[in-house]
Amino acid sequence: AQSVTQLGSHVSVSEGALVLLRCNYSSSVPPYLFWYVQYPNQGLQLLLKYTSAATLVKGINGFEAEFKKSETSFHLTKPSAHMSDAAEYFCAVRLNAGNMLTFGGGTRLMVKP
Amino acid sequence: DSGVTQTPKHLITATGQRVTLRCSPRSGDLSVYWYQQSLDQGLQFLIHYYNGEERAKGNILERFSAQQFPDLHSELNLSSLELGDSALYFCASSVNSGDQETQYFGPGTRLLVL
């Protein structure tokens, strides 16, 4: 069985500061990993995904994530936060194609002016 | 816009009632997944259909059922509703294209049971 842990249910950064959202996973087999973003009153939008190609994955809106097998981590980063980045971010793992996603508890990112 | 549509957007009903949530997947997608998002349970997988057949079940209550029709749209039926069923219900669709499979989510249906 797979599981996902997101450290920090709330993260607050200043505009222009580095964004770091943490995600650790457990899986019995090499997983596929995803980050989704949920803006208020909206659905989930895919930010980026890791599917065993490059370990550093670039996504939309300037976000990227690095898969570190030794640390079982897939942390999400962005060099400079914008006010528009304020949202809830979910890390998810999937074992194989055609399988469901298992989500972490989510991290709400707040960006201060 | 992900291309996945869900109706209705909001639903308010009373305990004991039955509701049907509808999902239309992206054009060409054969898989539909249903998820429930609640404050206490987070985002949880409910059920997966592929080309009309049930493929996997997650934490779905016996009071809940789903089906996928020949035109590939799906419906999630919730019956004997309880206060705790109040949640945001998402569907997602994918083409099942191997390693590159990505689930695209609809905007959700917000259910409030009073």
Side-chain angles (χ1 to χ4, degrees):
Chain A
Q2 66 271 28
S3 67
V4 180
T5 302
Q6 292 184 241
L7 291 175
S9 58
H10 291 79
V11 170
S12 181
V13 301
S14 297
E15 194 172 17
L18 171 73
V19 175
L20 170 61
L21 305 183
R22 298 178 187 274
C23 172
N24 287 88
Y25 70 90
S26 68
S27 173
S28 54
V29 298
Y32 300 98
L33 294 158
F34 303 80
W35 276 99
Y36 284 86
V37 60
Q38 184 178 28
Y39 297 102
N41 300 314
Q42 293 188 29
L44 296 164
Q45 180 182 3
L46 179 71
L47 271 179
L48 49 81
K49 62 182 179 182
Y50 167 76
T51 55
S52 76
T55 56
L56 183 62
V57 182
K58 293 189 183 301
I60 62 170
N61 301 338
F63 284 94
E64 62 181 37
E66 186 172 9
F67 172 68
K68 291 188 177 181
K69 186 177 178 181
S70 61
E71 298 177 9
T72 61
S73 70
F74 190 56
H75 300 331
L76 182 71
T77 60
K78 181 173 180 177
S80 176
H82 293 176
M83 297 296 292
S84 60
D85 294 326
E88 187 146 23
Y89 292 80
F90 292 92
C91 182
V93 62
R94 189 194 81 215
L95 283 185
N96 296 301
N99 283 9
M100 81 287 195
L101 295 171
T102 298
F103 286 91
T107 298
R108 184 167 299 276
L109 175 66
M110 294 166 284
V111 182
K112 299 175 292 187
Chain B
D1 185 354
S2 66
V4 179
T5 60
Q6 290 186 249
T7 57
K9 193 169 183 177
H10 301 278
L11 202 47
I12 302 174
T13 188
T15 54
Q17 295 300 303
R18 171 189 169 96
V19 297
T20 298
L21 312 183
R22 181 187 170 106
C23 169
S24 294
R26 297 184 321 153
S27 177
D29 285 1
L30 300 179
S31 266
V32 170
Y33 299 81
W34 285 96
Y35 294 87
Q36 179 195 58
Q37 184 179 31
S38 62
L39 285 175
D40 53 345
Q41 298 289 329
L43 265 162
Q44 288 200 98
F45 165 71
L46 295 178
I47 198 163
H48 170 210
Y49 276 84
Y50 176 78
N51 202 20
E53 292 187 5
E54 181 185 303
R55 280 294 179 91
K57 270 186 173 180
N59 297 323
I60 187 167
L61 300 170
E62 285 191 11
R63 300 183 284 108
F64 295 2
S65 65
Q67 56 185 133
Q68 186 179 27
F69 295 86
D71 68 352
L72 301 176
H73 91 272
S74 177
E75 292 181 357
L76 179 66
N77 300 295
L78 315 177
S79 61
S80 303
L81 285 167
E82 301 175 359
L83 295 178
D85 297 327
S86 296
L88 195 49
Y89 292 85
F90 288 110
C91 78
S93 73
S94 73
V95 295
N96 276 11
S97 54
D99 287 355
Q100 297 305 313
E101 181 196 8
T102 299
Q103 291 182 28
Y104 293 92
F105 283 75
T109 293
R110 187 173 294 279
L111 174 66
L112 180 58
V113 182
L114 300 175

PDB file of all heavy atoms in Angstrom, chain A residues 4-26:
ATOM      1  N   VAL A   4       1.077   8.999   1.524  1.00  0.00           N
ATOM      2  CA  VAL A   4       1.736  10.283   1.289  1.00  0.00           C
ATOM      3  C   VAL A   4       1.595  11.144   2.528  1.00  0.00           C
ATOM      4  O   VAL A   4       0.501  11.242   3.098  1.00  0.00           O
ATOM      5  CB  VAL A   4       1.090  11.024   0.084  1.00  0.00           C
ATOM      6  CG1 VAL A   4       1.783  12.359  -0.134  1.00  0.00           C
ATOM      7  CG2 VAL A   4       1.171  10.174  -1.168  1.00  0.00           C
ATOM      8  N   THR A   5       2.698  11.773   2.926  1.00  0.00           N
ATOM      9  CA  THR A   5       2.688  12.681   4.063  1.00  0.00           C
ATOM     10  C   THR A   5       3.176  14.039   3.608  1.00  0.00           C
ATOM     11  O   THR A   5       4.249  14.154   3.023  1.00  0.00           O
ATOM     12  CB  THR A   5       3.609  12.166   5.187  1.00  0.00           C
ATOM     13  OG1 THR A   5       3.170  10.865   5.588  1.00  0.00           O
ATOM     14  CG2 THR A   5       3.556  13.105   6.375  1.00  0.00           C
ATOM     15  N   GLN A   6       2.376  15.043   3.874  1.00  0.00           N
ATOM     16  CA  GLN A   6       2.783  16.412   3.605  1.00  0.00           C
ATOM     17  C   GLN A   6       3.029  17.100   4.933  1.00  0.00           C
ATOM     18  O   GLN A   6       2.116  17.214   5.752  1.00  0.00           O
ATOM     19  CB  GLN A   6       1.690  17.147   2.809  1.00  0.00           C
ATOM     20  CG  GLN A   6       1.528  16.620   1.388  1.00  0.00           C
ATOM     21  CD  GLN A   6       0.514  17.413   0.593  1.00  0.00           C
ATOM     22  OE1 GLN A   6      -0.500  16.874   0.140  1.00  0.00           O
ATOM     23  NE2 GLN A   6       0.770  18.692   0.385  1.00  0.00           N
ATOM     24  N   LEU A   7       4.266  17.516   5.134  1.00  0.00           N
ATOM     25  CA  LEU A   7       4.635  18.153   6.389  1.00  0.00           C
ATOM     26  C   LEU A   7       4.233  19.615   6.353  1.00  0.00           C
ATOM     27  O   LEU A   7       4.669  20.357   5.476  1.00  0.00           O
ATOM     28  CB  LEU A   7       6.136  18.020   6.614  1.00  0.00           C
ATOM     29  CG  LEU A   7       6.616  16.601   6.892  1.00  0.00           C
ATOM     30  CD1 LEU A   7       8.124  16.555   6.970  1.00  0.00           C
ATOM     31  CD2 LEU A   7       6.001  16.067   8.185  1.00  0.00           C
ATOM     32  N   GLY A   8       3.426  19.990   7.335  1.00  0.00           N
ATOM     33  CA  GLY A   8       2.968  21.368   7.390  1.00  0.00           C
ATOM     34  C   GLY A   8       1.642  21.534   6.675  1.00  0.00           C
ATOM     35  O   GLY A   8       1.606  21.553   5.448  1.00  0.00           O
ATOM     36  N   SER A   9       0.582  21.680   7.429  1.00  0.00           N
ATOM     37  CA  SER A   9      -0.727  21.870   6.785  1.00  0.00           C
ATOM     38  C   SER A   9      -0.875  23.310   6.304  1.00  0.00           C
ATOM     39  O   SER A   9      -1.708  23.587   5.432  1.00  0.00           O
ATOM     40  CB  SER A   9      -1.854  21.516   7.750  1.00  0.00           C
ATOM     41  OG  SER A   9      -1.761  22.300   8.909  1.00  0.00           O
ATOM     42  N   HIS A  10      -0.076  24.223   6.911  1.00  0.00           N
ATOM     43  CA  HIS A  10      -0.095  25.625   6.507  1.00  0.00           C
ATOM     44  C   HIS A  10       1.340  26.117   6.388  1.00  0.00           C
ATOM     45  O   HIS A  10       2.167  25.877   7.267  1.00  0.00           O
ATOM     46  CB  HIS A  10      -0.839  26.482   7.537  1.00  0.00           C
ATOM     47  CG  HIS A  10      -2.309  26.217   7.585  1.00  0.00           C
ATOM     48  ND1 HIS A  10      -2.844  25.133   8.247  1.00  0.00           N
ATOM     49  CD2 HIS A  10      -3.358  26.884   7.049  1.00  0.00           C
ATOM     50  CE1 HIS A  10      -4.161  25.149   8.115  1.00  0.00           C
ATOM     51  NE2 HIS A  10      -4.507  26.200   7.396  1.00  0.00           N
ATOM     52  N   VAL A  11       1.611  26.797   5.272  1.00  0.00           N
ATOM     53  CA  VAL A  11       2.914  27.415   5.055  1.00  0.00           C
ATOM     54  C   VAL A  11       2.676  28.863   4.644  1.00  0.00           C
ATOM     55  O   VAL A  11       1.851  29.130   3.760  1.00  0.00           O
ATOM     56  CB  VAL A  11       3.717  26.671   3.972  1.00  0.00           C
ATOM     57  CG1 VAL A  11       4.945  27.465   3.578  1.00  0.00           C
ATOM     58  CG2 VAL A  11       4.113  25.283   4.454  1.00  0.00           C
ATOM     59  N   SER A  12       3.402  29.777   5.289  1.00  0.00           N
ATOM     60  CA  SER A  12       3.273  31.189   4.968  1.00  0.00           C
ATOM     61  C   SER A  12       4.621  31.725   4.515  1.00  0.00           C
ATOM     62  O   SER A  12       5.632  31.502   5.190  1.00  0.00           O
ATOM     63  CB  SER A  12       2.795  31.960   6.206  1.00  0.00           C
ATOM     64  OG  SER A  12       2.634  33.324   5.900  1.00  0.00           O
ATOM     65  N   VAL A  13       4.639  32.407   3.379  1.00  0.00           N
ATOM     66  CA  VAL A  13       5.868  33.015   2.870  1.00  0.00           C
ATOM     67  C   VAL A  13       5.572  34.443   2.446  1.00  0.00           C
ATOM     68  O   VAL A  13       4.414  34.803   2.188  1.00  0.00           O
ATOM     69  CB  VAL A  13       6.452  32.232   1.673  1.00  0.00           C
ATOM     70  CG1 VAL A  13       6.764  30.787   2.072  1.00  0.00           C
ATOM     71  CG2 VAL A  13       5.528  32.267   0.473  1.00  0.00           C
ATOM     72  N   SER A  14       6.607  35.228   2.342  1.00  0.00           N
ATOM     73  CA  SER A  14       6.450  36.584   1.817  1.00  0.00           C
ATOM     74  C   SER A  14       6.556  36.560   0.293  1.00  0.00           C
ATOM     75  O   SER A  14       7.210  35.689  -0.286  1.00  0.00           O
ATOM     76  CB  SER A  14       7.527  37.504   2.382  1.00  0.00           C
ATOM     77  OG  SER A  14       7.390  37.603   3.778  1.00  0.00           O
ATOM     78  N   GLU A  15       5.907  37.503  -0.323  1.00  0.00           N
ATOM     79  CA  GLU A  15       5.988  37.614  -1.781  1.00  0.00           C
ATOM     80  C   GLU A  15       7.465  37.769  -2.173  1.00  0.00           C
ATOM     81  O   GLU A  15       8.206  38.545  -1.565  1.00  0.00           O
ATOM     82  CB  GLU A  15       5.190  38.815  -2.258  1.00  0.00           C
ATOM     83  CG  GLU A  15       4.931  38.830  -3.760  1.00  0.00           C
ATOM     84  CD  GLU A  15       3.976  39.938  -4.184  1.00  0.00           C
ATOM     85  OE1 GLU A  15       3.778  40.874  -3.389  1.00  0.00           O
ATOM     86  OE2 GLU A  15       3.438  39.863  -5.301  1.00  0.00           O
ATOM     87  N   GLY A  16       7.888  36.977  -3.176  1.00  0.00           N
ATOM     88  CA  GLY A  16       9.275  37.020  -3.613  1.00  0.00           C
ATOM     89  C   GLY A  16      10.177  36.006  -2.928  1.00  0.00           C
ATOM     90  O   GLY A  16      11.305  35.778  -3.371  1.00  0.00           O
ATOM     91  N   ALA A  17       9.700  35.405  -1.857  1.00  0.00           N
ATOM     92  CA  ALA A  17      10.509  34.420  -1.132  1.00  0.00           C
ATOM     93  C   ALA A  17      10.378  33.038  -1.751  1.00  0.00           C
ATOM     94  O   ALA A  17       9.460  32.765  -2.536  1.00  0.00           O
ATOM     95  CB  ALA A  17      10.070  34.378   0.337  1.00  0.00           C
ATOM     96  N   LEU A  18      11.312  32.170  -1.344  1.00  0.00           N
ATOM     97  CA  LEU A  18      11.296  30.783  -1.817  1.00  0.00           C
ATOM     98  C   LEU A  18      10.103  30.033  -1.243  1.00  0.00           C
ATOM     99  O   LEU A  18       9.775  30.165  -0.067  1.00  0.00           O
ATOM    100  CB  LEU A  18      12.585  30.085  -1.383  1.00  0.00           C
ATOM    101  CG  LEU A  18      12.659  28.576  -1.601  1.00  0.00           C
ATOM    102  CD1 LEU A  18      12.822  28.259  -3.087  1.00  0.00           C
ATOM    103  CD2 LEU A  18      13.806  27.965  -0.786  1.00  0.00           C
ATOM    104  N   VAL A  19       9.477  29.240  -2.098  1.00  0.00           N
ATOM    105  CA  VAL A  19       8.405  28.365  -1.653  1.00  0.00           C
ATOM    106  C   VAL A  19       8.938  26.938  -1.598  1.00  0.00           C
ATOM    107  O   VAL A  19       9.550  26.467  -2.566  1.00  0.00           O
ATOM    108  CB  VAL A  19       7.203  28.401  -2.626  1.00  0.00           C
ATOM    109  CG1 VAL A  19       6.135  27.371  -2.203  1.00  0.00           C
ATOM    110  CG2 VAL A  19       6.596  29.802  -2.688  1.00  0.00           C
ATOM    111  N   LEU A  20       8.743  26.286  -0.452  1.00  0.00           N
ATOM    112  CA  LEU A  20       9.130  24.878  -0.297  1.00  0.00           C
ATOM    113  C   LEU A  20       7.988  24.149   0.382  1.00  0.00           C
ATOM    114  O   LEU A  20       7.660  24.432   1.532  1.00  0.00           O
ATOM    115  CB  LEU A  20      10.406  24.746   0.536  1.00  0.00           C
ATOM    116  CG  LEU A  20      10.786  23.319   0.965  1.00  0.00           C
ATOM    117  CD1 LEU A  20      11.023  22.420  -0.242  1.00  0.00           C
ATOM    118  CD2 LEU A  20      12.019  23.345   1.870  1.00  0.00           C
ATOM    119  N   LEU A  21       7.362  23.228  -0.332  1.00  0.00           N
ATOM    120  CA  LEU A  21       6.282  22.411   0.227  1.00  0.00           C
ATOM    121  C   LEU A  21       6.758  20.958   0.214  1.00  0.00           C
ATOM    122  O   LEU A  21       7.172  20.446  -0.817  1.00  0.00           O
ATOM    123  CB  LEU A  21       5.002  22.559  -0.607  1.00  0.00           C
ATOM    124  CG  LEU A  21       4.501  23.981  -0.804  1.00  0.00           C
ATOM    125  CD1 LEU A  21       3.196  23.982  -1.593  1.00  0.00           C
ATOM    126  CD2 LEU A  21       4.329  24.689   0.522  1.00  0.00           C
ATOM    127  N   ARG A  22       6.665  20.335   1.391  1.00  0.00           N
ATOM    128  CA  ARG A  22       7.287  19.026   1.567  1.00  0.00           C
ATOM    129  C   ARG A  22       6.319  17.882   1.341  1.00  0.00           C
ATOM    130  O   ARG A  22       5.165  17.940   1.763  1.00  0.00           O
ATOM    131  CB  ARG A  22       7.898  18.922   2.958  1.00  0.00           C
ATOM    132  CG  ARG A  22       8.997  19.940   3.222  1.00  0.00           C
ATOM    133  CD  ARG A  22       9.527  19.828   4.645  1.00  0.00           C
ATOM    134  NE  ARG A  22      10.456  20.914   4.940  1.00  0.00           N
ATOM    135  CZ  ARG A  22      11.743  20.873   4.656  1.00  0.00           C
ATOM    136  NH1 ARG A  22      12.261  19.793   4.082  1.00  0.00           N
ATOM    137  NH2 ARG A  22      12.522  21.903   4.962  1.00  0.00           N
ATOM    138  N   CYS A  23       6.839  16.828   0.720  1.00  0.00           N
ATOM    139  CA  CYS A  23       6.036  15.633   0.463  1.00  0.00           C
ATOM    140  C   CYS A  23       6.933  14.413   0.593  1.00  0.00           C
ATOM    141  O   CYS A  23       7.979  14.324  -0.060  1.00  0.00           O
ATOM    142  CB  CYS A  23       5.435  15.680  -0.939  1.00  0.00           C
ATOM    143  SG  CYS A  23       4.619  14.148  -1.452  1.00  0.00           S
ATOM    144  N   ASN A  24       6.531  13.484   1.448  1.00  0.00           N
ATOM    145  CA  ASN A  24       7.220  12.205   1.565  1.00  0.00           C
ATOM    146  C   ASN A  24       6.228  11.086   1.271  1.00  0.00           C
ATOM    147  O   ASN A  24       5.064  11.180   1.637  1.00  0.00           O
ATOM    148  CB  ASN A  24       7.827  12.038   2.956  1.00  0.00           C
ATOM    149  CG  ASN A  24       9.031  12.918   3.163  1.00  0.00           C
ATOM    150  OD1 ASN A  24       8.894  14.073   3.574  1.00  0.00           O
ATOM    151  ND2 ASN A  24      10.202  12.392   2.843  1.00  0.00           N
ATOM    152  N   TYR A  25       6.696  10.054   0.649  1.00  0.00           N
ATOM    153  CA  TYR A  25       5.801   8.964   0.255  1.00  0.00           C
ATOM    154  C   TYR A  25       6.345   7.641   0.757  1.00  0.00           C
ATOM    155  O   TYR A  25       7.517   7.502   1.080  1.00  0.00           O
ATOM    156  CB  TYR A  25       5.670   8.919  -1.274  1.00  0.00           C
ATOM    157  CG  TYR A  25       6.930   8.467  -1.947  1.00  0.00           C
ATOM    158  CD1 TYR A  25       7.177   7.125  -2.216  1.00  0.00           C
ATOM    159  CD2 TYR A  25       7.917   9.389  -2.289  1.00  0.00           C
ATOM    160  CE1 TYR A  25       8.358   6.701  -2.801  1.00  0.00           C
ATOM    161  CE2 TYR A  25       9.103   8.986  -2.864  1.00  0.00           C
ATOM    162  CZ  TYR A  25       9.322   7.645  -3.117  1.00  0.00           C
ATOM    163  OH  TYR A  25      10.500   7.232  -3.688  1.00  0.00           O
ATOM    164  N   SER A  26       5.466   6.684   0.853  1.00  0.00           N
ATOM    165  CA  SER A  26       5.887   5.310   1.073  1.00  0.00           C
ATOM    166  C   SER A  26       5.194   4.454   0.033  1.00  0.00           C
ATOM    167  O   SER A  26       4.008   4.645  -0.245  1.00  0.00           O
ATOM    168  CB  SER A  26       5.538   4.840   2.485  1.00  0.00           C
ATOM    169  OG  SER A  26       4.142   4.736   2.627  1.00  0.00           O
TER     170      SER A  26
END
